[in-house]
Amino acid sequence: MKNKYLAILKDGILYKNPIFIQLLGLCSTLAVTTTVVNSVGMGLAVTAVLMCSNLMISLLRKFIPDQVRIACFIVIISGFVTAVDMLIKAYFFELSKTLGLFIPLIVVNCIILARAEAFASKNTPLPSVVDGFAMGIGFTFALVILGAIRELFGSGTLFSGTGFEITVPGLHDKPVLFFVSSGGAFITLGILIAAFHYLIDKHEEKAEAEDK
Amino acid sequence: MQNKFGASYFLKIGLTLLVITALVAGMLAAVNMITKDKIDENNLSEQNAAIKSVYGEGDIETEEISGDFPENVGKALSVKQNGESAGYCFEVNTSGYGGNIKMMVGINSDGSVRGIGIVEMSETAGLGSRVSDETYLSQYGGKSTTLTVSDIDVITGSTVSSKAIMNGVNAALDAFASTEGSDTATEGADGATESTDASTESTDASTESTDASTEGSDEE
C-alpha cells in the first residue's frame, strides 16, 4: 500500500514530471519563471489547485456523467483557480502583482485537466490527492530550477523579493538580458529537458542492471 | 437502450451540471465574502502609496472629481497637501508590453507634471520593469506639453514599456486640460506642441490625434 503512494510521488516528481517529461503547461512556465519567488508562487498555486480539483473530481467521479465530464472538470477547476486567485490577492498582495495575469490562466493549464482526466476520474480520493500533490511539486521543482537559472544570469540576483536576497556583483551590473526574454526561457528549458532526460535514463539503466 | 436519449437522460445530465456549478458558485461566494474586504484594502493602500510617491510626505487629502476625461483615465482626484491645493492626480490605465499598467500621475495647478507613481504593472522583470525606476520617471517632472518619443529618454530594450508610460502621462495631461481653470496652462504649451509635431515624423497616429485635440481646445 505504502509503495503505491511512493510510486505516485516518484512519478509526479521524476518519471512523469509535468514539465521535463510530459511538457505540459509550458506557456505559464516560460512566462513566470523570471525569478525564483515567482516560480515558487506559481508552482504552489498550481499545486493547491491540482490537489483540490483532483480531490473533488475523484469524489464526484461516479456522479459525473461521462458525456459532460470535461465541462464538469473545467467548472470545478476554474472554481478553484478563482478561489486561489482571490486568496492570493488578499493575503499575498506583492506576489499577485507579479503573477497577476497568470493565475487565472491556470484554468487552461493542461496539467490540471490532464490529471483530472487521466488520474482523478479513475482513482479513489486519497491517491488522487497524492497524485495532485506529486504533480504539483514536480511542476514547482521544474519551475524553481528554471527560475533560478534565469534570475541568476538574467538579473544577477537570487531569491530577490525575499529576505535572503543574494546579489552577484559582476552579473548584477551587466546581466545577460537574454535569459529574461522568452527566447532565453525556451533555450534554458530545452537544455534542462535534455539534462533531465539524460539523468533519468542513466538512473533507469542502473536500476535495470541491478535487477539483472 | 432505446430510452438512452430520452427526456430523463437529458434531465439527468442537465441536473448534474446544475448541481456542480451551484456547488462551485457557492464555494466562490464564500471565498469572496472572506477576501473581499482585504482585497479592497490592499488596492486602496496601493493607490495611496502611489500618491505618496508622487507628493512625498505631508498630510494629503484627496477628493474625487468628475468630468469629461479620456477613456483610459480611471479616476481623477483633486489633491490638497497640508491644506493647500496641490493640483490633480489622475489614475491612468495604459497598455504596456506585458499588459495593463496602472499609474497615478500628479499634475500641478500650473499644468506641469508633478510626478508619477506606478500602481500596478506586469512588465518583463529586468527590462520593462525598469520604467518604475526613479531615474526613468523623474524625467517627466515639469513637463507640461503632449510628449512624443523625442522628448524622453526611452529605456534600452523596453521601448514599448517606456512609450506606454509616456502615453499615460499624455492622457493625464489631456485630462488636466479638460478640467476647469487650465486655459492658461494649455495656451502656454501651444507653441511647444507645434514644434515637437514638426520635428518628429515618426510619431504614431494616436499621439498625433491627441496633439490635434490639444490644439483644438486651445483655439476655443
Side-chain angles (χ1 to χ4, degrees), chain A residues 36-55:
Chain A
V36 174
V37 174
N38 284 358
S39 306
V40 173
M42 186 67 179
L44 293 183
V46 167
T47 309
V49 173
L50 251 176
M51 287 172 74
C52 294
S53 67
N54 264 10
L55 172 68

Side-chain angles (χ1 to χ4, degrees), chain A residues 34-35 56 60 63-65 67-68 71-72 75-76 78-80 82-91 93-94 97-98 101 154-155 177 180-182, chain B residues 4 9 12-13 15-17 19-21 23-24 27-28 31-32 34-35 38-39 42-43 45-46 97-99 119-122 124-127 130 156:
Chain A
T34 44
T35 66
M56 188 91 156
L60 295 174
F63 175 70
I64 295 173
Q67 295 83 354
V68 290
C72 294
V75 168
I76 292 167
S78 54
F80 281 117
T82 315
V84 165
D85 188 31
M86 289 195 276
L87 288 169
I88 289 183
K89 273 194 187 131
Y91 300 107
F93 190 61
E94 286 301 312
K97 282 198 286 182
T98 47
L101 260 176
S155 318
L177 282 178
V180 180
S181 67
S182 343
Chain B
K4 197 185 170 194
Y9 165 79
K12 190 188 153 215
I13 285 185
L15 279 178
T16 317
L17 267 174
V19 170
I20 288 175
T21 24
L23 259 172
V24 172
M27 179 194 76
L28 283 180
V31 176
N32 186 42
I34 302 167
T35 55
K38 187 87 181 133
I39 293 175
N42 283 340
N43 285 335
S45 73
E46 191 65 14
Y97 189 77
V119 182
E120 199 180 280
M121 65 154 185
S122 42
T124 320
L127 284 168
R130 284 188 298 164
T156 314

